[in-house]
Amino acid sequence: MIKTIKILGTGCAKCQSMTNVVKEVVLENNINANVEKVEDIMKIMEFNVMSTPALVIDNVVTIKGRIPSKEEVLTLLS
Amino acid sequence: MFDWVQNSADWFVYDVLNLDKGQHLAEALNFFIYDSIKILILLFVVIFFMGIVNSYFPIDKVKNYLSRNKLYGFEYLMASLFGVVTPFCSCSSVPLFIGFVRGGIPLGVTFAFLITSPLVNEVAIGLFIGLFGVKITAIYVISGVLLGTISGMILQKLKLEKHLTPWVKDILAKAQKEQDVFKTEKQPFLKRLPIIWDEVLRILKGIIPYVIVGIAIGGLMHGYIPEGFFEKYMDKDNLFAVPIATILAVPMYSNASGILPVVQVLVSKGIPLGTAIAFMMGVVGLSLPEAMLLKKVMTLKLIGVFFGVVTLCIIISGYLFNIIL
């Protein structure tokens, strides 16, 4: 099943780092997933997060306001 | 507490490099080494401590608390205090603002939080202790909290809801005090530690270059500008000094944390402390990039009123400090 991964962030440096970490994990582990970066604030607010960047996997907010480690992302994805 | 740092700096400059005491270069270098090491240690300690506090009081908890409890006028002070322990990232200010509005928290209370959060942050506190000592730091923190509280109350009185952008007004109309289901993470401390640790390193990495450059410039000025140099231009009786310093400072970005070491040297060379604190509050508390981000949720007029009120409060506290200190 293809996972839908969304990274919510208005485009700051932290959000970029989170995107990179997630993309690397997906590539390195051949995970079948769609990675999408959501920068529109109205769409971000639909997820009810108050600190960015936030990681959303299959429409569930898993991490908010910090940059996760690769291991953490891998655990969340598997 | 930092004698050993001073001793190491002395040893390195006078013994290893064999420079003469009293020489400009030697004094500047000594100052640079001592200040850098001391400030980096303090920054590390303060950021780490704030990281622990924040791990137990994440922003969602703060919002729920402010949204749920009737605080009889103390909500401004509470919001301002929460602003101290919450690390501020200007890119989070918009989601945070919306989250507060959606939780039915009054606009003035939200502003109190938005003002104090960047103004009294972990980096500023660490730098302040290192540069000015504990007493001045306490004065800065307390006045920062009061400034957020009072500005928030004033902004609430001005009834600014009509100046929000239309989509935020929609959210405001649908605001509810109902709690979001907030799953409390019952993680043991040892599990939180690596996350806090990573965050500490990330913040330090981001600011170290600015701080080091700031201390280096400060060190050069320290060695080369004579004592009391500025007194004749900017003494306490000069009524324009505080407003000019504040207005110059507002457009600067808070990442100019490197500017604090320079200001410390200016103070030691005769600029009044109140004027300097007003300048630093302007640098740390308000910035143009933040104003640009807020355009998504506020009309320009509202941003103008917000910045205007805070700037005015900073100027007033600058005058007060010049009188008291």
Side-chain angles (χ1 to χ4, degrees), chain A residues 45 48-50, chain B residues 63 93-105 110 171 180:
Chain A
M45 288 322 293
N48 218 356
V49 294
M50 287 203 294
Chain B
K63 190 200 86 180
S93 56
V94 169
L96 197 138
F97 186 83
I98 300 294
F100 273 41
V101 169
R102 186 180 273 161
I105 297 169
T110 308
I171 294 175
D180 315 317

Side-chain angles (χ1 to χ4, degrees), chain B residues 143-211:
Chain B
S143 51
V145 170
L146 289 179
L147 195 118
T149 310
I150 293 165
S151 307
M153 286 171 147
I154 297 174
L155 288 162
Q156 179 69 23
K157 283 268 175 294
L158 295 176
K159 301 219 184 316
L160 298 160
E161 285 79 0
K162 55 181 179 291
H163 299 297
L164 294 168
T165 48
W167 72 286
V168 183
K169 276 189 210 160
D170 281 352
I171 294 175
L172 184 67
K174 283 182 256 159
Q176 46 193 345
K177 307 229 175 226
E178 248 168 65
Q179 299 300 300
D180 315 317
V181 192
F182 182 66
K183 56 173 196 322
T184 31
E185 293 171 68
K186 284 236 165 59
Q187 277 180 321
F189 182 68
L190 279 179
K191 273 213 147 176
R192 290 169 189 259
L193 203 56
I195 294 171
I196 299 170
W197 183 256
D198 282 352
E199 190 64 15
V200 172
L201 293 187
R202 201 189 54 76
I203 297 176
L204 274 178
K205 242 198 247 164
I207 56 167
I208 279 177
Y210 297 97
V211 174

Side-chain angles (χ1 to χ4, degrees), chain A residues 10 12 14-15 39 41-42 44-53 61 64-67 69 72, chain B residues 59-60 63 89 91-92 94-96 98-100 102 167 171 180 182-183 195 198-199 202 293 296:
Chain A
T10 41
C12 55
K14 261 168 127 178
C15 315
E39 292 192 352
I41 183 70
M42 293 189 192
I44 291 178
M45 288 322 293
E46 281 166 19
F47 290 94
N48 218 356
V49 294
M50 287 203 294
S51 41
T52 52
V61 180
K64 297 184 265 196
R66 60 185 176 85
I67 301 160
S69 67
E72 218 182 335
Chain B
I59 186 70
D60 309 69
K63 190 200 86 180
C89 164
C91 48
S92 270
V94 169
L96 197 138
I98 300 294
F100 273 41
R102 186 180 273 161
W167 72 286
I171 294 175
D180 315 317
F182 182 66
K183 56 173 196 322
I195 294 171
D198 282 352
E199 190 64 15
R202 201 189 54 76
L293 284 166
K296 292 209 172 115

